[in-house]
């Protein structure tokens, strides 16, 4: 498919493809590809060419409008930032759990801070599950290489594996509650993901830094945005690789 609008704009201008490319600092073959394949150039290149031709950028590349809308929707998904996970108020975690009516999906290695921060964490999850909320708990396999490597990187050795075991021990009492599913994973994590319906807290992991000291982004899903969905796509990939765990397995 060709970009006839761009072709016509060049033909009706004083420029040839060669002179236009020289004016905007691009290879003539690049502009020819834009015409012949209707490829969407980078934003800066679109702006320079449109300005050189005296044409409207969105007229020349209508697809840029959908890209612009996606960027706007994606930016709107970011509703808060925390400098560290430790700076997220405990009431925020509690309120997000209590407000959930469809899904609570949690991905981390141990997330033992949730039991430390919320003494009734297990009860909160059980209550939501019994009210019809799907609860998915996806935490680290203490025997996995990924947990061992992360422990070394954080300079805490086997302590991370110990925290994973402790988290599973705490959770064993609720894993058989209808609506609660547990899976162990051995995947490398670049972010811990905590989803509560259309809200999501992403605790991004920084090399050598404990997760508690790493930043957290608070996202809220917006139609057309990409941040929420790309995080949940990662969650789903790990979920598919996880091994189901029941209360009986941990007894």
């Amino acid at each position: 498919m060709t970009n006839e609008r761009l072709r016509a704009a060049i033909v009706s201008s004083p420029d040839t493809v060669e002179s236009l490319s020289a004016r905007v600092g691009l290879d003539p073959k690049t502009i020819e590809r834009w015409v012949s394949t209707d490829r969407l150039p980078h934003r800066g290149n679109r702006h320079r060419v449109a300005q050189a031709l005296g044409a409207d950028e969105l007229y020349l590349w209508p697809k840029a409008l959908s890209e612009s809308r996606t960027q706007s929707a994606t930016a709107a998904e970011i509703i808060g930032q925390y400098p560290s996970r430790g700076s997220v108020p405990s009431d925020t975690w509690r309120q997000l759990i209590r407000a959930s009516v469809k899904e609570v999906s949690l991905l981390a290695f141990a997330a033992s801070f949730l039991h430390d921060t919320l003494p009734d964490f297990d009860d909160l999850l059980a209550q939501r599950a019994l009210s019809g909320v799907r609860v998915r708990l996806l935490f680290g396999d203490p025997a996995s290489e990924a947990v061992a490597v992360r422990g070394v990187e954080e300079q805490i050795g086997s302590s991370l594996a110990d925290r994973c075991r402790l988290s599973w021990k705490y959770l064993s009492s609720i894993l058989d509650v209808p609506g609660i599913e547990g899976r162990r994973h051995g995947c490398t994590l670049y972010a811990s993901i905590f989803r509560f319906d259309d809200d999501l807290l992403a605790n991004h992991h920084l090399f050598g830094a404990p997760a508690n000291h790493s930043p957290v982004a608070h996202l809220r899903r917006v139609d057309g945005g990409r941040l929420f969905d790309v995080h949940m796509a990662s969650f789903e990939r790990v979920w598919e690789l996880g091994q189901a765990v029941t209360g009986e397995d941990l007894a």
Side-chain angles (χ1 to χ4, degrees):
M1 184 175 180
T2 59
N3 187 334
E4 293 300 333
R5 291 183 179 184
L6 178 58
R7 185 197 303 277
I10 296 172
V11 169
S12 63
S13 75
D15 279 301
T16 62
V17 168
E18 288 72 19
S19 63
L20 175 63
S21 65
R23 290 178 60 199
V24 297
L26 292 168
D27 190 310
K29 292 182 180 179
T30 298
I31 296 178
E32 288 173 352
R33 281 195 297 270
W34 294 346
V35 172
S36 62
T37 65
D38 196 22
R39 183 179 300 177
L40 184 65
H42 292 301
R43 184 177 181 180
N45 290 339
R46 294 196 310 263
H47 178 74
R48 291 201 302 275
V49 170
Q51 190 173 43
L53 292 173
D56 181 75
E57 179 182 335
L58 294 180
Y59 172 78
L60 295 178
W61 292 284
K63 288 190 294 187
L65 180 60
S66 61
E67 180 187 76
S68 176
R69 287 173 176 168
T70 296
Q71 290 176 348
S72 178
T74 297
E77 289 184 295
I78 305 172
I79 66 169
Q81 294 275 1
Y82 297 94
S84 67
R85 193 188 66 202
S87 65
V88 181
S90 59
D91 280 349
T92 296
W93 297 104
R94 185 183 300 278
Q95 290 167 6
L96 287 170
I97 295 173
R98 283 181 169 172
S100 299
V101 297
K102 296 179 296 184
E103 178 177 352
V104 172
S105 294
L106 310 178
L107 166 63
F109 277 132
S112 53
F113 75 94
L114 288 169
H115 285 100
D116 296 336
T117 302
L118 305 172
D120 57 345
F121 175 63
D122 293 343
D123 291 336
L124 288 170
L125 293 181
Q127 290 167 9
R128 300 320 302 146
L130 292 172
S131 71
V133 176
R134 184 188 188 190
V135 177
R136 292 190 291 174
L137 307 174
L138 186 53
F139 297 135
D141 180 348
S144 68
E145 182 181 0
V147 168
V149 169
R150 181 67 180 175
V152 171
E153 291 173 350
E154 290 191 13
Q155 300 181 25
I156 59 174
S158 62
S159 295
L160 179 57
D162 292 338
R163 292 211 300 264
C164 291
R165 292 188 187 94
L166 184 60
S167 289
W168 283 119
K169 182 176 181 179
Y170 285 146
L171 294 168
S172 63
S173 63
I174 63 168
L175 286 177
D176 295 326
V177 171
I180 294 183
E181 305 166 78
R183 293 191 185 183
R184 275 188 296 230
H185 74 86
C187 297
T188 301
L189 289 190
Y190 302 97
S192 296
I193 296 171
F194 307 94
R195 177 187 182 172
F196 312 92
D197 288 348
D198 287 339
D199 281 84
L200 185 151
L201 297 180
N203 182 193
H204 296 100
H205 295 183
L206 303 177
F207 182 81
N212 189 52
H213 296 171
S214 297
V216 172
H218 187 171
L219 310 177
R220 182 167 295 150
R221 190 176 185 281
V222 173
D223 286 343
R226 292 178 178 170
L227 288 179
F228 185 98
D229 289 344
V230 77
H231 279 81
M232 283 310 299
S234 177
F235 179 99
E236 298 298 344
R237 286 192 289 270
V238 180
W239 182 256
E240 289 301 315
L241 294 171
Q243 178 185 7
V245 182
T246 66
E248 184 177 347
D249 295 329
L250 299 172

